[in-house]
Amino acid sequence: MEVELEYLIQNFQGFTSKMAKIILPLTSKQVKEAKPTLRAYKLYDGAGLILTVYPSGKKVWRLDYKDLNKKRKTYTIGDAQHISLSDARKKRDELKGILENHQSISKKDIMTFGQVFYEWFDKWKLLVVESTAKRALSSMKKDCFPVIENMDITKIKPKNIVAALSPIDERGSGETLEKTKSALKLTFDYAVARGICDMNPVLAVTASAFTAHETKHHRALDASKIYMLHDFFMSNRNSIIVRKCTEFTLRTMCRINESVCATWDEIDGNTWTIPAERMKERRPHIVHLTKQSMSIIEEMKKFKSSKYIFQNDHLNHHIHKDTPNTAINRYGIDSTVHGLRSLASTVLNGTCLFDKDLVEMCLSHKDKDAVRAAYNRALYLEQRKEILIFWSDFIDMCDTEENNIKTLEKFKLIQLNDD
């Protein structure tokens, strides 16, 4: 009986030892929720794929394998922030296929375009607004990566850049093409500066390589149609929050991204300070809130249930930046919310009452003179206040079609409608 019991124990221990070697595949949720600890640790997905989680919070995919000499080695696939679980598995399978063909996968000093891009991108994204970084990354992954992501960056030629940008060209997205090409150029500029490669192939790719696309500008509302905005603000066809957000954007002359994301803690009395990370030019922007703008703020307090001033229907986040555009277009107003900034610029410069540089500062446009821009950053708040007060009062003067025309005539702006 004792011999039989000892036999069963030994077999059970052998069974559990084998069981311990079984690796359950990871889930995307596990990868996302893996928390850093005091020491780096590993999560195993199977077939050699490993996720290493560092104390800093960085997560890196690696492949554990045996080389042609049967020596244990590790191949770094890349940062899990940019490479999904499914993509890491595809890369693992690709590498194992190379190994099965008795070929080496050692990278030595070779760096792929994808590796260099993410190295550059992680630094560049800190200098631009989040939406700009997201668009650049999305376009790169969708259109360029299928062509050049895994290429040795030193072997990429102008023809490869053209091939990577061709899908965008074929869609007729001229603006996206230019921005993606710019991201490619900056990546190679970074690589050249770091000594990773000797030339920037993007510099040899001229506009003649692509279809000529007409540049699309944000539609500006005709000055004689300002009264239509009043009709929209007073209508009941859209939620009051969407209408008030649109009006707030118009009166403050800010970008729609800045308005929809406005939070209560950014308001101090009748001053709205937009933090640098939300500004296109990456510097804080101070806006005087006129009595009309303050009235909007007071009305929004009725709905206050989150940190955002202009909340969505669930009152737990801000409204989407495209919602005001959709609303005014459905109302029959031929403009974009961003185009209302062009309207403000046209009217204010047309009156000749204000210095054009001050108008540009109200619009938070970047001063081409870097020295002057640094000096003027926090200056002229009183003058900008006068401009915003005039602009809000001007909007109120155009409350009907008849008053709209009279106001244009009063400030000798009627010629704005002769284009």
Side-chain angles (χ1 to χ4, degrees), residues 125-140:
K125 69 181 181 181
L126 303 176
L127 305 175
V128 298
V129 293
E130 184 179 1
S131 58
T132 298
K134 283 184 176 179
R135 281 196 299 270
L137 181 60
S138 174
S139 181
M140 196 65 66

Side-chain angles (χ1 to χ4, degrees), residues 102-166:
H102 306 289
Q103 297 177 24
S104 173
I105 63 171
S106 176
K107 290 184 287 187
K108 297 180 181 178
D109 295 328
I110 293 174
M111 292 192 72
T112 66
F113 172 81
Q115 289 174 299
V116 179
F117 170 79
Y118 282 126
E119 192 174 301
W120 164 78
F121 180 78
D122 283 341
K123 294 177 175 61
W124 177 75
K125 69 181 181 181
L126 303 176
L127 305 175
V128 298
V129 293
E130 184 179 1
S131 58
T132 298
K134 283 184 176 179
R135 281 196 299 270
L137 181 60
S138 174
S139 181
M140 196 65 66
K141 283 184 171 181
K142 178 181 178 182
D143 300 304
C144 300
F145 273 12
V147 180
I148 62 174
E149 179 184 13
N150 296 315
M151 287 185 67
D152 176 348
I153 194 167
T154 65
K155 302 289 179 59
I156 295 177
K157 301 182 183 303
K159 66 178 182 180
N160 303 123
I161 299 298
V162 173
L165 293 171
S166 289

Side-chain angles (χ1 to χ4, degrees), residues 244-254 259 264 267 269-272 287-301 309-310 385 388-389 391-393 395-396:
K244 290 300 179 181
C245 181
T246 308
E247 183 181 355
F248 187 78
T249 306
L250 172 69
R251 292 187 184 277
T252 58
M253 297 168 57
C254 288
S259 294
W264 290 106
I267 307 296
N270 60 359
T271 299
W272 174 30
V287 183
H288 169 75
L289 298 178
T290 63
K291 63 182 181 182
Q292 295 93 331
S293 295
M294 284 302 299
S295 176
I296 294 171
I297 294 296
E298 289 301 316
E299 191 155 6
M300 289 301 96
K301 287 181 179 178
I309 296 173
F310 301 105
K385 174 181 176 180
L388 288 168
I389 290 174
W391 173 235
S392 260
D393 290 344
I395 294 168
D396 290 346

